[in-house]
Amino acid sequence: MTPRTPASTGTARPQALTSADLPIRVPLIHGETTASFLARTAVANAVELPRLLRALHKGRLPAAAADAQPGTHEVALTAESVTRLADLTGRKEDQLRHALPGLAPDRLHASSGLALRARTWSQAPGEPPLPACPLCLEEGAWLNGAGHRWRPCACGRRWECGDDGGYLIDTTPLPELGRALADHRALNHRVGPAGDAMVADAHQVTLWWWVNRQVAHAAWREREDALGLGRHRRRAAPAAVYPEAVRLAQLMNAWENARTAVVNADPGTWLTAVAKEFDVPGIADGREAEPLRTWIELHPPLGELPAEKAVKAAEGRWEQLPALHHRPEDRGPFQTPSCLRWVYGLPLTSTAALCPHCGGREPSCRWVPADDCPQNPSPGSRNAEAITTS
């Protein structure tokens, strides 16, 4: 008697994924999140993302991973899963690790064997990923924020923003934003990462002015309307104030030159020059001066000039900056964190949260707790703030 073949239930598990199922290799994007790379690989090969994730995980796929989306989740892999991913995508492990920050050794999932886990991105400023510029990279890709809330794309036609679930600003209607980017790059080229630090500081100051409707409020509103964000002005502000931020950064650079070349340089003279440049007398002696006085407190006149050192000019400029500036890990605009630690979107005139180490008394923690608080006995990385400003 011939044995009967069991009827199909329609729930048979799909065959294990192989490299033959992923013939299309998507381009690697430096700084991309792991979840974004996996999602782009799946879409390009008409494979459901959960199926690709199951190929990197032994056992039942975690519920969070099954529902992962690249704009809201990050996926952590084990070393073995990275090897498996390299085999499936036809890439070398070193290529993947170089492009995807989430595959750095200190960010891998600690479990052994094939395993992964997914987590939702924290919504603290600077934590969520940034949507990649579709003109230069690939639509739908997401970049690791690395502490940055926003930045102009290298093409000068888009701003990538991580707040509010991530959004892009089309800046083509405003060529002055492209010119500001060119001036930003020129400053960086001239004085190195110290120039980028000046722009980061100046951007913090101009956002303070924006919140208080000071200095160039009318011009900023016109730009917000031109960007199509008249109903979402808070979103547009980081880009709208950019030209004034770069102008202010160049003036800050002049103060840096003065305070390290002249004993007891006069900050009042510098504030008067800034007020004249912007045609706003209050920058010299009014409410508009408040954020700049905080900046001068951190970049004070020197009673004794620094000794000459046989170092490159850019290196010497960096050495002149105060301790609250930290070296950027990458080159380019908006890579250097600001020494001004107020957080756009939180109160500017009061402490939003008390630092457990200094109680908000240190300049690093006047607005929010900072990882680089001088009184923190275990600072971890002195290159990262607890809440990032820019």
Side-chain angles (χ1 to χ4, degrees):
M1 182 175 178
T2 303
R4 297 176 61 185
T5 302
S8 174
T9 63
T11 59
R13 296 186 62 181
Q15 293 183 345
L17 200 70
T18 68
S19 58
D21 297 308
L22 304 175
I24 297 177
R25 295 200 313 176
V26 297
L28 292 173
I29 298 175
H30 179 70
E32 186 176 16
T33 70
T34 305
S36 175
F37 174 74
L38 292 169
R40 287 194 303 119
T41 298
V43 169
N45 291 281
V47 172
E48 292 183 353
L49 179 57
R51 186 183 176 199
L52 174 55
L53 296 179
R54 278 194 292 270
L56 305 174
H57 183 80
K58 185 177 181 180
R60 186 180 181 86
L61 194 66
D67 298 328
Q69 298 294 327
T72 57
H73 292 76
E74 178 60 311
V75 174
L77 304 180
T78 61
E80 291 82 355
S81 295
V82 174
T83 300
R84 174 68 170 147
L85 178 61
D87 292 339
L88 287 172
T89 59
R91 295 280 187 183
K92 295 181 179 179
E93 287 188 49
D94 287 346
Q95 290 180 315
L96 295 176
R97 294 183 192 278
H98 180 73
L100 309 179
L103 301 187
D106 60 339
R107 298 190 183 183
L108 292 179
H109 187 17
S111 297
S112 60
L114 288 177
L116 60 82
R117 66 178 180 183
R119 64 173 178 86
T120 56
W121 285 103
S122 165
Q123 293 307 300
E127 290 294 324
L130 310 177
C133 173
L135 305 179
C136 300
L137 299 175
E138 187 168 313
E139 188 169 4
W142 291 81
L143 306 175
N144 195 298
H148 305 291
R149 296 174 67 180
W150 46 67
R151 62 189 174 208
C153 177
C155 70
R157 293 179 290 172
R158 295 290 186 275
W159 267 59
E160 303 160 341
C161 307
D163 289 2
D164 300 333
Y167 60 96
L168 292 163
I169 300 178
D170 180 355
T171 59
T172 51
L174 295 175
E176 61 262 41
L177 296 186
R179 288 192 289 270
L181 178 58
D183 291 342
H184 187 166
R185 287 172 172 155
L187 183 60
N188 289 3
H189 180 73
R190 193 163 66 250
V191 300
D196 196 49
M198 294 301 98
V199 176
D201 291 347
H203 197 248
Q204 284 287 88
V205 171
T206 52
L207 284 174
W208 178 296
W209 287 339
W210 184 92
V211 169
N212 289 287
R213 301 187 177 187
Q214 298 169 340
V215 181
H217 177 63
W220 293 334
R221 288 185 71 89
E222 290 178 6
R223 288 188 194 139
E224 292 153 13
D225 291 336
L227 294 172
L229 291 170
R231 299 181 64 181
H232 301 280
R233 297 188 185 278
R234 182 181 61 82
R235 289 186 174 190
V241 304
Y242 187 42
E244 285 71 27
V246 175
R247 284 172 59 197
L248 179 58
Q250 293 167 338
L251 295 168
M252 287 177 163
N253 185 52
W255 169 251
E256 284 296 297
N257 289 333
R259 80 181 186 93
T260 55
V262 179
V263 176
N264 293 322
D266 180 19
T269 300
W270 179 75
L271 285 171
T272 299
V274 177
K276 184 177 180 180
E277 168 69 21
F278 284 93
D279 194 22
V280 178
I283 290 178
D285 54 11
R287 293 177 60 240
E288 294 88 348
E290 185 175 357
L292 287 174
R293 292 190 186 281
T294 300
W295 183 77
I296 291 173
E297 179 185 346
L298 297 173
H299 294 247
L302 301 181
E304 181 179 347
L305 298 184
E308 292 292 334
K309 296 181 180 180
V311 295
K312 294 182 179 179
E315 182 69 18
R317 284 301 308 277
W318 181 266
E319 294 298 329
Q320 295 167 7
L321 295 179
L324 286 183
H325 282 289
H326 301 301
R327 287 185 180 276
E329 295 182 359
D330 292 316
R331 296 181 179 180
F334 281 113
Q335 294 296 323
T336 311
S338 173
C339 69
L340 300 173
R341 300 298 176 77
W342 52 77
V343 179
Y344 175 63
L346 296 180
L348 298 179
T349 57
S350 62
T351 301
L354 277 180
C355 172
H357 307 292
C358 72
R361 291 181 293 274
E362 294 286 350
S364 60
C365 308
R366 287 180 184 172
W367 289 269
V368 293
D371 182 68
D372 60 347
C373 173
Q375 298 187 35
N376 183 354
S378 303
S381 171
R382 288 290 176 97
N383 287 323
E385 288 81 16
I387 297 182
T388 308
T389 55
S390 61

